[in-house]
Amino acid sequence: MLRGYSPRVRYWVWLSASLKFLIPWVLLVSLGSLVPWPVHRVTSVATPTLPDTLVQLAQPFSPNPYPAVQTREQIYWGVTALAFLWAAGFVAIAFTRFRNWSRIRVMLRAGTPVKLPIAVPALVISDSHGSNSHGSSAIEPGVVGFLKPVLVLPALLLERLNPKQLDALLAHELSHVRRRDNLFAALHMGVETIFWFHPLVWWIGSRLLEERELACDEDVLRLGCQPTDYVRGILTVCEHYSEAPLACVSGVTSANVKKRLKTILRGTLPRELNRHKKLALSFAAIAAVAVPFCLGLLFAQEPSAKFEVASVRRVVSSGGPGDIPQNMENSPGHFAVRNKPLRYCLEWAYDLKDYEIVGPDWINNDERYDIVANAPGPATNDQMRPMLQALLIERFQMRLHRGTREMQVYALVLGKGAPKVKPPAPDGVEGLSGGARSLLFHKEPISRLTFLLTRRMDRPVLNKTGLDGIYDFTIDISGLNNFNPQTADDATGPSIFTAVQEDLGLKLESRKEPITVLVIDSANKVPTEN
């Protein structure tokens, strides 16, 4: 959109993109989410899209893949490794730039003040003091500093340039001073040092350097300098001097010199922005801030993960646990249990099985509770689970975390022969189908089967087959409730162990493996008052 217009406009666009890194998207979203809004009520219940037979069959199964939750130790070491990696890059870049800046300060101390007909102080340095680490060439003329900028000129350059060429180069450097290019370049260098891992910041840096030099070239031509004199002056600098080592030292040979020289010799000035382009840029700038802020407003309107009304009461009985009837009521927006242990409530709240929860013995059966809770409106189970989690943590003052425990599992391994799974048919439809006796897997991984078996069996089922692709296969599930590999097949059908072996050519082996569990570190037996 802006290619034919002034490079000053493109420069400010890229500079805005650079500074936007210092105002992260998530910060603007968070600010928007702080705006108070009335609680939005859930008014609809999710409707299944599968046929009724499959909905009944998959009722015990979760629609989502089995969640792989990292332990606190894994997260800690992962974050620590990333922090060390970021710090290493940050220190390396900061040290390199500090070393280059120290070299420039040494050069400035060796300079001799000189009076020139310009609005900034000037220093002349000998070419030997401005030479690089190999001593091959001196640093080009440039402006150093942004609070009190100083123009640095190599001594021999004054002899190599005629007055018109020198005037053109001085006009270029004064343009850098008026535009505060050193200050903005230093800001972007800070962005690069912090976000060194992001390739976009380095690409923006190259665009900033190119557009600022083109903008200064435009200013020189607007002052009436002859393009040929200006080009000869730049070529003289390129022939005898090297580019400044830091972007915050504005010189004359930065960016794509060949492209700049062609633009200068063309002698035409770029177009100015019309009203429509200015409006488009203004809207883009506003949207960069307003869009994430408005998203935060939308997030603030999401339903709160809390029940509107909730009662948690400890059951006290002179008899045993069976003295008071037990039951559970679950309907859209309503959850209630009577005379149930805390473990049962945790299993429902976190959608876990018994073996996936580790905690004090009293949560299993010794203490029992009545819990009645109503959501702000009709809500599905998936919407009420986080509400129940928050309620249990608050009322029982629980502290919990994800961890690993070694326990008995079923490992799905290869059988003696070749596995009886087939590559997916090219015209097959991805997903599950079947009825009450068998399940047909179309273009599904083996991990999908282990996930489903885990939801129905008495311990986790892990995929140890090494089969990582997607397949078509069918398995008899009519005897899925027969978990004992030593018992004969029941009347309903073959045990799941037999079905896995005969239908798939695989085998379920019992072994010990580390499993992710929910660990209850502490909890009060007596819940807080309603």
Side-chain angles (χ1 to χ4, degrees), residues 295-354:
L295 286 176
L297 293 178
L298 293 178
F299 292 157
Q301 298 181 69
E302 289 296 318
S304 174
K306 287 187 177 182
F307 290 108
E308 190 172 53
V309 179
S311 170
V312 181
R313 186 174 62 87
R314 187 184 184 192
V315 176
V316 180
S317 172
S318 57
D323 183 53
I324 302 175
Q326 305 178 33
N327 66 353
M328 175 184 176
E329 300 173 12
N330 184 20
S331 60
H334 176 73
F335 175 85
V337 294
R338 180 174 173 80
N339 195 26
K340 291 286 188 180
L342 182 58
R343 174 182 288 275
Y344 178 88
C345 302
L346 290 168
E347 289 175 14
W348 195 93
Y350 289 91
D351 197 18
L352 299 175
K353 300 195 73 173
D354 177 84

Side-chain angles (χ1 to χ4, degrees), residues 280-291:
L281 275 179
S282 300
F283 280 123
I286 294 172
V289 176
V291 168

Side-chain angles (χ1 to χ4, degrees), residues 5 29 95-96 103 117 152 156 185 232 304 348 417 433 438 507:
Y5 294 90
V29 173
F95 174 76
T96 301
R103 173 187 162 198
V152 177
L156 292 179
R232 289 194 183 102
S304 174
W348 195 93
S433 61
S438 63
K507 185 180 178 182

Side-chain angles (χ1 to χ4, degrees), residues 172 214 217 252 254 256-264:
H172 181 100
L214 289 173
D217 294 340
V252 294
S254 303
N256 188 333
V257 177
K258 185 177 180 180
K259 177 180 177 180
R260 289 176 54 202
L261 295 182
K262 288 182 178 180
T263 304
I264 295 169

Side-chain angles (χ1 to χ4, degrees), residues 56 62 82 94 223 231 289 306 320 378 383 399 433 438 451-452 472 475 478 482 499 502-503 518:
Q56 277 191 335
S62 168
L82 288 176
L223 291 173
V231 167
V289 176
K306 287 187 177 182
Q383 291 170 327
R399 297 181 60 189
S433 61
S438 63
F451 162 68
L452 296 179
D472 288 351
I475 184 171
S478 56
N482 188 351
E502 293 182 351
D503 296 344
L518 182 69

